[in-house]
């Protein structure tokens, strides 16, 4: 793996992505190597958003007030073995408020939380995938430095390969074509950008493209029951455009999450797993967009949008901790799905009602 440098965090994305064209992705299992799309020469800085962009956002309105209320709470100590803990997104809220206001007390809390995270117990890779990326984004926003940044980097490198009940963050993305894999992939991409690790980022992109439906990019997932697949002989993470089954559209279906409700039936048996899988998938796409891959939203015939359209088409609107996703979907696709001004944060990220609301820069 490449040796990481200690460039200032605001230089990470540019240091990682500027220069010559990306080499072909790493290859395994006899697959044909795939060329990673090359981002523009001058990608936007910030893994999720930059302080410069935040400076233009209002400090008024329901979305800001909600963010500030959460940032002013004292969350439990970070525990990355708890897949439902909300400390990660609370710390992200504190980092956003610090970046907007410059109030050093918020930064102090974020730094302390990031350092506490490096000492956290670990459980399953699902919990690690859900929890990790928000700490990476928070660290990026407050600009860890010196010994704290060095320690955080060492820990992040370990998190890519730590063995948790037979799985690692890497292997979870590469084997689980569902909510487990999408959360792992988003955290993997965030870590890769923080560590300026081009090879790690390339591999996460290769697998992500495979999950979106590009089997030439990657096809080594281990699927469960296959009845929701458009073609069980060539299973994918998101069904292709125009797919039907027994007279019903399954275009945009995420088969390995829909099966968690039941094998194929109509109407489908409701399950929250597809929206949770999108939490990881949308986060991964936004991270890649920020890194310069601005066409990521169009990959595989707009697979992410088609997944959302399917869910709304069968009456499964986003609610609860999926509310944040709608702001990002509308922002990137120009759609107008109903939103909640005080949208709840998700399991991995949040606060998009403020960062990605109407009138925000879509670049």
């Amino acid at each position: 793996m490449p040796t990481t440098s200690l460039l200032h965090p605001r230089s990470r994305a540019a240091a990682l992505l500027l220069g010559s064209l990306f080499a072909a992705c790493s290859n395994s299992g006899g697959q044909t190597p795939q060329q990673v799309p090359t981002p523009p020469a001058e990608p936007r800085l910030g893994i999720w958003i930059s302080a410069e962009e935040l400076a233009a956002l209002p400090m008024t309105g329901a979305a800001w007030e909600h963010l500030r209320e959460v940032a002013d709470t004292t969350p439990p100590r970070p525990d990355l073995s708890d897949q439902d803990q909300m400390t990660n997104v609370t710390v992200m809220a504190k980092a956003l408020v610090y970046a907007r206001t410059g109030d050093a007390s918020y930064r102090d809390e974020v730094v302390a939380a990031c350092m506490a995270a490096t000492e956290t117990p670990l459980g399953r890779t699902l919990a690690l995938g859900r929890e990790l990326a928000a700490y990476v984004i928070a660290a990026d926003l407050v600009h860890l430095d010196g010994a704290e940044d060095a320690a955080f980097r060492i820990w992040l490198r370990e998190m890519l390969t730590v063995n948790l009940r037979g799985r690692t963050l890497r292997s979870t993305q590469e084997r689980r074509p569902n909510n487990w894999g999408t959360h792992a992939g988003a955290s993997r991409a965030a870590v890769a950008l923080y560590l300026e690790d081009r090879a790690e980022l390339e591999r996460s992109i290769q697998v992500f493209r495979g999950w979106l439906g590009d089997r030439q990019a990657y096809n080594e997932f281990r699927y469960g029951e296959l009845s929701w697949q458009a073609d069980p002989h060539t299973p994918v993470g998101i069904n292709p455009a125009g797919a039907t089954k027994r007279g019903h559209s399954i275009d945009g279906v995420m088969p390995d999450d829909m099966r968690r409700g039941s094998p194929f039936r109509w109407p489908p048996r409701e399950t929250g797993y597809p929206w949770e899988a999108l939490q990881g998938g949308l986060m991964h796409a936004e991270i890649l967009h920020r890194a310069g891959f601005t066409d990521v939203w169009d990959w595989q015939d707009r697979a992410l949008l088609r997944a959302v359209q399917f869910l709304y088409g069968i009456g499964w609107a986003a609610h609860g901790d999926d509310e944040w996703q709608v702001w990002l979907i509308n922002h990137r696709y120009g759609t107008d799905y109903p939103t909640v001004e005080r949208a709840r944060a998700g399991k991995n990220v949040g606060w998009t009602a403020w960062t990605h609301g109407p009138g925000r820069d879509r670049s």
Side-chain angles (χ1 to χ4, degrees):
M1 303 297 289
T3 301
T4 59
S5 64
L6 293 180
L7 293 173
H8 194 283
R10 283 177 293 187
S11 302
R12 277 192 196 97
L16 173 64
L17 296 169
L18 289 175
S20 61
L21 299 182
F22 275 178
C25 280
S26 56
N27 180 41
S28 65
Q31 290 184 187
T32 303
Q34 296 294 311
Q35 190 77 15
V36 174
T38 303
E42 297 182 359
R44 298 294 293 273
L45 302 182
I47 292 173
W48 186 254
I49 197 168
S50 69
E52 291 75 14
E53 291 164 284
L54 292 174
L57 300 186
M59 291 192 290
T60 57
W64 168 256
E65 291 169 3
H66 184 214
L67 172 67
R68 190 69 179 260
E69 287 170 11
V70 174
D72 287 340
T73 64
T74 301
R77 184 178 176 83
D79 180 357
L80 272 68
S81 70
D82 183 351
Q83 66 189 44
D84 297 315
Q85 191 186 65
M86 300 296 289
T87 298
N88 61 333
V89 290
T90 302
V91 171
M92 181 181 173
K94 293 176 183 293
L96 288 167
V97 171
Y98 163 72
R100 180 63 182 90
T101 66
D103 186 333
S105 65
Y106 292 103
R107 183 183 188 277
D108 292 343
E109 291 183 83
V110 172
V111 173
C114 288
M115 293 300 98
T118 68
E119 302 173 352
T120 182
L122 298 173
R124 303 191 300 172
T125 54
L126 176 60
L128 180 62
R130 284 180 174 181
E131 298 287 318
L132 182 60
Y135 291 106
V136 178
I137 292 168
D140 187 59
L141 284 167
V142 305
H143 309 317
L144 292 184
D145 51 27
E148 291 162 337
D149 185 54
F152 193 66
R153 288 168 176 270
I154 291 170
W155 176 71
L156 289 180
R157 177 70 64 189
E158 293 172 352
M159 291 303 97
L160 292 171
T161 58
V162 62
N163 189 314
L164 301 176
R165 305 182 189 180
R167 295 190 177 100
T168 67
L169 200 67
R170 286 174 179 162
S171 72
T172 299
Q173 188 203 7
E174 296 182 10
R175 293 293 178 265
R176 301 296 300 273
N178 52 33
N179 65 306
W180 284 65
T182 62
H183 280 295
S187 281
R188 185 182 188 181
V191 169
L193 283 165
Y194 197 97
L195 296 179
E196 305 148 53
D197 189 333
R198 186 176 71 183
E200 195 72 49
L201 182 64
E202 287 177 349
R203 182 63 173 178
S204 83
I205 293 171
Q206 181 183 6
V207 180
F208 183 58
R209 290 177 72 95
W211 176 73
L212 292 174
D214 185 352
R215 287 177 55 86
Q216 290 187 328
Y218 186 82
N219 62 14
E220 295 183 15
F221 296 117
R222 297 174 183 172
Y223 293 91
E225 196 271 337
L226 298 172
S227 64
W228 281 99
Q229 293 285 345
D231 181 355
H233 300 291
T234 57
V236 290
I238 299 180
N239 276 342
T244 61
K245 185 165 188 174
R246 301 179 194 172
H248 299 285
S249 173
I250 55 171
D251 175 341
V253 161
M254 292 171 280
D256 217 59
D257 291 287
M258 287 296 291
R259 70 172 176 83
R260 314 280 280 281
S262 70
F264 180 84
R265 50 166 278 183
W266 207 268
R269 178 171 295 161
E270 189 164 2
T271 171
Y273 283 109
W275 273 113
E276 191 195 332
L278 277 173
Q279 287 199 24
L282 291 170
M283 183 182 193
H284 200 159
E286 181 65 5
I287 288 171
L288 295 182
H289 180 103
R290 295 292 308 179
F293 299 91
T294 55
D295 65 341
V296 63
W297 304 101
D298 295 327
W299 290 356
Q300 292 305 112
D301 298 314
R302 294 189 152 194
L304 291 170
L305 178 59
R306 291 188 294 102
V308 171
Q309 290 171 332
F310 173 79
L311 293 174
Y312 274 96
I314 59 174
W316 295 6
H319 64 275
D321 70 5
D322 296 313
E323 292 169 349
W324 70 270
Q325 298 185 68
V326 187
W327 290 99
L328 181 57
I329 293 160
N330 287 346
H331 180 75
R332 289 301 178 200
Y333 286 114
T335 50
D336 59 354
Y337 292 110
T339 53
V340 177
E341 194 72 20
R342 295 171 61 90
R344 286 180 54 184
K347 297 174 174 66
N348 56 350
V349 75
W351 321 120
T352 49
W354 185 61
T355 58
H356 293 76
R360 307 303 192 262
D361 181 3
R362 296 180 63 189
S363 59

